Amino acid sequence: MNIGIIIQARMGSTRLPGKILKQFYGGKTLLETLLENLHKVADAKVIVATSVNDNNDQLESFLLDKGELVFRGSENDVLDRFIKAAETYNVDGIIRICSDNPFMDWHGVAQLVEKSKTSDADYIGFRINDKPSILTHFGFWGEFVRLSALKRVADITDEGTPAHEHVTYYIYNHPEDFKCEWIVGPAFLQERDDIRLTIDTPEDLINALKVYSDLKKEDENFTLQDVVSYLDSHEEIKQSMISNISQNKK
């Protein structure tokens, strides 16, 4: 199986436009920070899948200048974008990543890659608080899905439905039709709903940069446990995150 890490990215965020090319840490953008981590994963090519909308021309140029693989497809039918990106780069096993997660744990991505090599599952994901990690605000993990499973979803669902906007949504909500396997997330993150390190708003970016910068100064290779320990000792940041989580739910 050819594994590809496909990053879902676009410039048209409504709450924080152009967020993935905003400066983050060490002179690098948010997206560069994510890419640097993902390139540490062995046996998987990294592809950025964006849309054909004109506002992503800048993103494509930025990535091509850095030698990254890029695919451009549908803006709204993200399922189709993933399918065609995988076909273009001869990928049949996909690790799906969201571009606004600078704390993405590359060790977890590598774990998905390794598990997929010996599994016949259509979908493999991390499970936190008895739900798929993709439904949390943590921003720590990706998810594995077979191209064949995405094609099945495209065949049995209509464009414009959640299945086409949220790429894996249909699969983990229909375990009777798709084989799903779960990796239980670490105990220190179970029953936590006070961590938000995915970036959607200016406040998210401020909080994430503060946490990332402080941790990097202490240890270049900080862990998820380090992130949690830091947040538990910085109550003001955690309260800001809780407020953002509440606003996002509304």
Side-chain angles (χ1 to χ4, degrees):
M1 181 165 53
N2 293 321
I3 305 293
I5 298 170
I6 301 183
I7 304 170
Q8 181 176 325
R10 66 188 182 98
M11 295 290 285
S13 169
T14 54
R15 287 180 285 186
L16 188 56
K19 62 184 175 182
I20 56 176
L21 292 188
K22 289 189 179 296
Q23 289 297 303
F24 190 64
Y25 177 79
K28 295 177 181 174
T29 64
L30 188 67
L31 183 56
E32 284 177 283
T33 302
L34 174 62
L35 285 164
E36 186 177 71
N37 267 337
L38 295 176
H39 280 304
K40 296 174 184 176
V41 179
D43 301 327
K45 64 184 72 173
V46 180
I47 304 151
V48 180
T50 189
S51 88
V52 294
N53 282 21
D54 291 346
N55 60 357
N56 291 309
D57 291 350
Q58 176 191 2
L59 173 60
E60 181 182 33
S61 295
F62 177 85
L63 291 165
L64 291 177
D65 285 346
K66 296 187 177 299
E68 300 290 347
L69 301 178
V70 183
F71 176 82
R72 297 184 71 169
S74 173
E75 169 79 8
N76 297 317
D77 192 341
V78 189
L79 174 64
D80 183 71
R81 192 196 310 170
F82 267 73
I83 290 171
K84 289 179 178 172
E87 290 176 336
T88 298
Y89 287 101
N90 192 32
V91 164
D92 46 20
I94 298 163
I95 308 293
R96 176 177 172 265
I97 302 288
C98 294
S99 59
D100 49 9
N101 293 330
F103 287 82
M104 180 65 55
D105 179 28
W106 73 267
H107 300 91
V109 176
Q111 190 175 356
L112 287 172
V113 171
E114 288 305 308
K115 190 171 180 62
S116 71
K117 292 177 181 178
T118 58
S119 171
D120 63 351
D122 296 304
Y123 177 93
I124 306 171
F126 286 85
R127 200 159 184 87
I128 294 289
N129 298 334
D130 200 32
K131 62 183 179 182
S133 67
I134 193 67
L135 300 179
T136 73
H137 312 277
F138 297 166
F140 293 154
W141 299 288
E143 50 185 354
F144 167 84
V145 64
R146 289 182 183 273
L147 175 60
S148 57
L150 295 186
K151 288 182 173 180
R152 285 171 57 199
V153 174
D155 286 341
I156 59 180
T157 60
D158 295 325
E159 187 177 347
T161 61
H164 286 250
E165 180 183 0
H166 307 288
V167 178
T168 57
Y169 172 88
Y170 190 91
I171 294 172
Y172 57 72
N173 277 297
H174 291 82
E176 69 279 6
D177 297 323
F178 297 89
K179 183 176 181 180
C180 299
E181 291 185 1
W182 300 100
I183 300 171
V184 178
F188 61 83
L189 281 167
Q190 300 292 345
E191 300 184 13
R192 299 287 301 246
D193 193 29
D194 55 357
I195 297 173
R196 180 180 172 84
L197 286 166
T198 191
I199 295 176
D200 280 326
T201 68
E203 293 77 16
D204 290 337
L205 183 60
I206 291 168
N207 287 335
L209 180 54
K210 172 64 174 171
V211 177
Y212 197 93
S213 300
D214 286 353
L215 287 171
K216 276 288 188 181
K217 290 171 187 173
E218 291 295 321
D219 184 353
E220 183 71 20
N221 299 306
F222 66 82
T223 66
L224 294 185
Q225 179 70 76
D226 294 330
V227 174
V228 173
S229 297
Y230 176 94
L231 290 174
D232 285 341
S233 63
H234 291 77
E235 189 63 28
E236 72 286 357
I237 296 178
K238 194 163 63 173
Q239 287 303 316
S240 176
M241 289 182 177
I242 292 170
S243 176
N244 282 351
I245 291 168
S246 177
Q247 289 297 319
N248 190 60
K249 286 180 179 177
K250 291 178 184 178

